[in-house]
Amino acid sequence: FVADAGLVFSSTRQRSIETAIALTRGRAFDSDAIFVEAPLPPPNLPGFIRLTPSIWGFLARVWWWFLNHHEGEETRRQAESRADRAADRLIAAAEDGRDVVLLAHGFFNFMIGRALRQRGWQVVMNEGFKYWSMRRFERP
């Protein structure tokens, strides 16, 4: 699907670029920092607390999303504004009817998906939030 898409975007993170290189099979793609994952600053918990990385990640996201804990990094409001701009960019790329693919990061992809739905786009395929999962959006 990716190799045949009209336009492919990736974030500027190495893992997204390498994925795009592998999946586009040599075709050009557009890598842009607007698609980089939202920050995940760790919560300020005492150092003696030992948790698994997945629990730390979950707590950090909850702290960031609900408690505005950002440690000087991008805030939730700033990330939502960036997700809005990213959604607008994807919509503009799809204006001529081409399939557009974004190879980026889980939580920020979720945020872009929210922005797309707010603009009337519908999810027609959803593989959830596991690694390598995808969601397909279409304009009604």
Side-chain angles (χ1 to χ4, degrees):
F1 177 80
V2 175
D4 296 329
L7 190 56
V8 177
F9 292 99
S10 80
S11 90
T12 54
R13 296 285 193 239
Q14 191 65 33
R15 64 183 178 266
S16 292
I17 292 170
E18 289 175 1
T19 299
I21 290 168
L23 296 179
T24 58
R25 299 182 189 149
R27 286 186 45 224
F29 61 93
D30 186 1
S31 184
D32 193 320
I34 196 170
F35 302 117
V36 169
E37 179 64 286
L40 195 61
N44 296 323
L45 297 177
F48 65 84
I49 295 178
R50 301 282 184 220
L51 301 169
T52 65
S54 61
I55 299 295
W56 273 115
F58 173 78
L59 289 177
R61 186 58 71 205
V62 167
W63 253 255
W64 181 79
W65 186 261
F66 294 106
L67 302 175
N68 197 32
H69 173 81
H70 55 84
E71 293 290 315
E73 296 185 47
E74 185 178 46
T75 66
R76 175 184 170 180
R77 182 172 293 173
Q78 291 167 332
E80 286 174 327
S81 176
R82 183 165 56 92
D84 286 339
R85 293 190 312 275
D88 290 340
R89 178 133 186 236
L90 296 172
I91 290 168
E95 284 295 319
D96 63 1
R98 294 184 291 178
D99 286 333
V100 176
V101 172
L102 171 61
L103 302 166
H105 312 279
F107 197 80
F108 195 66
N109 286 347
F110 161 77
M111 294 177 73
I112 295 170
R114 286 180 69 211
L116 289 170
R117 286 190 304 278
Q118 289 169 351
R119 288 158 175 74
W121 288 64
Q122 297 175 341
V123 178
V124 296
M125 181 178 173
N126 186 347
E127 294 181 346
F129 289 97
K130 60 187 179 282
Y131 288 111
W132 297 99
S133 64
M134 71 173 240
R135 279 164 217 78
R136 182 180 177 107
F137 291 84
E138 291 182 358
R139 185 180 5 222

